[in-house]
Amino acid sequence: MLNGATLGGVKMALKLLRFFSTCSFVVLVLPGFALADWDEADELFERRSEGQEAIAEARAAYEAIAQNATGTELIRAVSQISKLDLFEGEMTLPKSAKAERMAIFKRCWETSVPRIHPDQVGETPNYYYWRGVCLGFWGEAAGPLRALPYVSLLLDLIEGGMEQDTRYEGGGIYRLAAGIYVDKQSQPLGLYDPDKALEMIELSLEQDAFPGDPNPGWMWYDNWRGKGLCLMELDRLEEAKDLLLEKREEIEILQEDEELPFGREPETLWNYRLMQDHLDTIEES
């Protein structure tokens, strides 16, 4: 259970992080961006939880920007498009919608993200993370046999991402690695290693906030849910249960106080729901 001091610390940290990250965002982003285009696209992005039509509208707005963008603008536009692909393919569609998920993630890793290849825009964590994420989820939907020829590419993307700024997306490159190592579907590919998965997700939780992002790794509930999955896979069920219950309670209080992690409200609530699924699995085991 959470005590008042613990929750108070979380809330105060959130407020400070939001303030400083907003200041950083203004300095980093405003000088080079066509604000009218970005404002419209970002407003549509905020409606992503309304469903696939809203997601399609936001994607089209960012694609319009990306068509004539270069450098920093192109990197941000493609990254936002990738976030929408992840949201639609993983958080809107059921796992059973394999064909639809494969199409979304294939477009992402094969066509969209290569626009920010290091040869085109220079080294950036965005390229390695988003291409790796979309390739990983495409492989999950496609199955081990179809994914096998792309294992070396996926591992290269993870290795390359770990050489970049690992704070990006809440320690996302470590979370990506953890998700692969903890998944039993990775066994035929020789990648199943739940101990290594736990090591990777702990690194995600340790990451500071990336510039322009108010949330450090410990405020990404994807990471806490990922840790719960790792503990479950290692048969440390009581630890997993305690962790997932604690984080669900934390999210409930933050939601009631309208203080969910800024910019990740829909994703946080999605993780909240999946945490209950994991708890149900623990109870059934």
Side-chain angles (χ1 to χ4, degrees), residues 78-145:
V78 170
S79 298
Q80 292 299 100
I81 292 165
S82 302
K83 290 179 184 180
L84 290 166
D85 287 339
L86 176 61
F87 192 89
E88 181 177 15
E90 185 63 8
M91 304 179 199
T92 302
L93 294 171
K95 294 288 189 183
S96 58
K98 292 185 178 181
E100 293 174 81
R101 296 179 69 239
M102 285 175 62
I104 291 167
F105 291 124
K106 183 179 178 66
R107 176 187 63 205
C108 177
W109 76 262
E110 192 172 70
T111 305
S112 182
V113 181
R115 290 178 288 184
I116 57 170
H117 189 282
D119 289 346
Q120 304 296 323
V121 300
E123 291 286 351
T124 170
N126 308 52
Y127 167 77
Y128 295 97
Y129 175 72
W130 287 116
R131 198 170 189 204
V133 163
C134 289
L135 179 57
F137 279 118
W138 174 84
E140 179 192 58
L145 287 178

Side-chain angles (χ1 to χ4, degrees), residues 135-187:
L135 179 57
F137 279 118
W138 174 84
E140 179 192 58
L145 287 178
R146 288 186 180 178
L148 183 59
Y150 301 98
V151 169
S152 60
L153 172 58
L154 181 57
L155 295 178
D156 286 346
L157 289 166
I158 291 173
E159 182 179 357
M162 289 182 182
E163 294 173 357
Q164 303 299 313
D165 191 334
T166 56
R167 296 175 297 173
Y168 183 66
E169 290 293 294
I173 201 69
Y174 293 125
R175 184 171 60 251
L176 169 60
I180 293 166
Y181 293 130
V182 79
D183 189 350
K184 279 194 169 70
Q185 280 198 81
S186 298
Q187 280 181 318

